[in-house]
Amino acid sequence: MIVDEKELKIQMKNVPFFNYPALYAERSEVYDSTVQDVLRRGAYIMQKDLAEFEANLASYLGCKHAIGVADGTAALVFALRAAGVGPGDEVILSSHTFVATAAAVHHVGADPVVCDCLPDSMMDPDSAERMISDRTKAIMPTQLNGRTCDMERLMAICENHSLEMVEDSCQAMGARFNGTPAGLFGKVGSYSFFPAKTLGSFGDGGAVVTNSDEAAALIRQMRDHGRNPRGKVTLWGHNGRLDNLQAAVLNVKLAHYDEAITRRRAIAAIYQDRLNNLNSLRLPPAPDSDPRRFDIFQNYEIWAEDRDNLRTYLADHGVGTILQWGGWMLHQFDDLEMRSDAPFAEDFSKHFMMLPLHHMLSDDDVHHVCDTIIQFYQGQEA
Ligand SMILES: *Cc1c(COP(=O)(O)O)cnc(C)c1O
């Protein structure tokens, strides 16, 4: 059998969706010495590494307070509580988000209400406005895939209806809209340091950010069993602390964060360049397509015709893809009984998929993904 040389090369290449071992391998010596240093000091909970990371993160984002918490979901719960959301309230969120956004609303005693998203995957402000009722307390947009929603429109809606803005910015640490970082539009913003996030720890982790001294003090107390600085419990708290060991690792990673974002944006530019003229795909907006936005490309999510066959073809050629949220939009979890209206998200869920995008991919890897996709659709046309 004669195999075309280019075909052979394509068949041998392997681009998994994400490469967890590479996260450690890229700087293993530094991580080894960092972790050993923490272990030798016996510094596990709320030690100097956590304080240092919090100071570095606040300075990176240009805000007054960053507070390390257990994970992104804890960050969302604390942000909602600090915004005064509680029993009897409704919070409007987009159907295109992680269940954690809605679960956080549920766990503070309020009801999540689900609105639609736009073709760029972000919350649809018109749809959000239509879902407002006399119980609505907050709008909770997800800054999805490392991009920000139309924060001008959403902030105006909050102002007109006297609502709180509570961002789920777990996917968008460092993304900006009109110069303001995701997470700093409302009183308290949230980030997740799940390993596959743009700033990923070696386990679970998260942070909240705020410019309010009062909210910062409240959250420091909430993450530590409700204890105030004198040790007295003055409110119902949680065990929601960021591990000191993870904070030490995150400190190392934060120093290289800008490089990682630059690389992510460069990869997105390659995808844009190579795939933009395929009629069977709709791509996310290109890195520099909107002067108001700085996107950090947590994910590269596309709309694809014949998606399921494309995914199989890619898998057969060593390319890993995944469906965000396992392929389910929030309004499709009917057992959770959320009031919802999301016709666009319904259609989008049948076509959306994510291509590999992380800072450790080589240009060759990205071109292999592009070659394979082009080959799939050319084969269909032939
Ligand atoms: C990752 C993520 C979270 C929170 O995740 P954790 O696993 O709790 O850190 C919340 N919302 C969105 C949109 C996310 O992507």
Side-chain angles (χ1 to χ4, degrees):
M1 191 170 103
I2 298 165
V3 182
D4 171 292
E5 203 170 293
K6 192 174 160 219
E7 176 70 14
L8 191 68
K9 207 176 110 210
I10 284 179
Q11 280 175 10
M12 281 162 48
K13 196 113 173 95
N14 191 19
V15 187
F17 180 75
F18 195 76
N19 188 343
Y20 287 97
L23 272 184
Y24 167 67
E26 67 172 339
R27 240 168 256 118
S28 60
E29 281 170 25
V30 182
Y31 294 132
D32 285 349
S33 66
T34 302
V35 168
Q36 277 183 23
D37 173 54
V38 171
L39 298 183
R40 287 205 180 98
R41 282 185 278 123
Y44 304 120
I45 304 288
M46 300 232 282
Q47 298 299 307
K48 79 170 169 69
D49 309 86
L50 176 60
E52 279 166 21
F53 173 63
E54 290 176 339
N56 290 340
L57 184 60
S59 130
Y60 179 80
L61 293 158
C63 66
K64 215 162 165 191
H65 305 277
I67 302 161
V69 297
D71 48 53
T73 308
L76 295 172
V77 168
F78 296 159
L80 286 162
R81 282 185 67 183
V85 177
D89 293 335
E90 286 182 349
V91 176
I92 296 169
L93 32 88
S94 165
S95 187
H96 196 354
T97 189
F98 189 28
V99 68
T101 325
V105 172
H106 174 81
H107 289 307
V108 301
D111 294 320
V113 169
V114 181
C115 76
D116 215 348
C117 65
L118 294 169
D120 73 348
S121 290
M122 312 309 294
M123 175 182 267
D124 176 347
D126 294 327
S127 171
E129 193 163 26
R130 281 197 298 274
M131 298 307 274
I132 292 173
S133 77
D134 53 9
R135 288 212 283 137
T136 308
K137 173 79 179 178
I139 296 185
M140 193 175 188
T142 296
Q143 313 292 26
L144 193 67
N145 297 333
R147 178 177 173 83
T148 46
C149 296
D150 184 341
M151 296 311 291
E152 226 163 80
R153 284 283 325 276
L154 290 174
M155 291 302 282
I157 293 170
C158 285
E159 197 161 318
N160 293 341
H161 298 267
S162 304
L163 304 176
E164 296 284 333
M165 164 59 61
V166 183
E167 293 166 79
D168 178 341
S169 39
C170 284
Q171 292 198 359
M173 213 275 279
R176 284 167 189 270
F177 186 91
N178 281 342
T180 301
L184 288 165
F185 285 90
K187 190 188 276 177
V188 175
S190 54
Y191 304 122
S192 166
F193 306 132
F194 184 86
K197 296 279 156 83
T198 50
L199 185 69
S201 58
F202 294 146
D204 277 312
V208 299
V209 284
T210 181
N211 284 313
S212 154
D213 295 342
E214 189 197 1
L218 179 68
I219 286 161
R220 286 186 185 283
Q221 224 175 309
M222 279 196 291
R223 77 165 172 184
D224 190 34
H225 300 291
R227 291 183 284 210
N228 73 12
R230 288 175 297 119
K232 185 176 180 192
V233 176
T234 61
L235 51 86
W236 291 112
H238 304 250
N239 182 354
R241 302 170 301 225
L242 175 63
D243 279 354
N244 193 64
L245 195 57
Q246 299 298 347
V249 167
L250 287 164
N251 252 327
V252 175
K253 296 209 173 201
L254 186 59
H256 299 277
Y257 192 61
D258 280 340
E259 291 160 42
I261 297 307
T262 303
R263 180 67 192 143
R264 281 175 178 273
R265 287 169 54 83
I267 293 168
I270 300 177
Y271 278 137
Q272 169 74 24
D273 191 46
R274 298 271 334 262
L275 302 176
N276 192 34
N277 51 12
L278 287 181
N279 293 325
S280 304
L281 298 184
R282 289 178 219 153
L283 307 179
D288 288 316
S289 54
D290 181 351
R292 298 176 303 174
R293 284 181 167 103
F294 182 80
D295 296 354
I296 61 160
F297 291 91
Q298 162 68 60
N299 300 308
Y300 198 80
E301 189 171 64
I302 62 172
W303 182 105
E305 222 164 82
D306 201 11
R307 175 195 67 189
D308 296 339
N309 286 325
L310 172 62
R311 290 191 72 210
T312 306
Y313 189 83
L314 285 166
D316 290 345
H317 290 76
V319 177
T321 60
I322 66 170
L323 304 188
Q324 201 154 211
W325 334 124
W328 298 92
M329 295 290 191
L330 213 52
H331 71 276
Q332 294 167 332
F333 297 131
D334 38 337
D335 296 296
L336 303 181
E337 297 183 345
M338 293 176 277
R339 181 161 73 85
S340 57
D341 183 27
F344 182 82
E346 178 62 26
D347 178 70
F348 199 62
S349 72
K350 300 180 181 99
H351 292 279
F352 74 155
M353 61 182 278
M354 303 201 295
L355 302 180
L357 194 162
H358 56 78
H359 68 278
M360 300 162 296
L361 287 178
S362 69
D363 282 10
D364 266 4
D365 292 334
V366 183
H367 284 295
H368 172 62
V369 177
C370 295
D371 289 340
T372 313
I373 292 173
I374 291 165
Q375 211 174 56
F376 172 76
Y377 285 117
Q378 276 173 352
Q380 278 195 332
E381 277 163 31

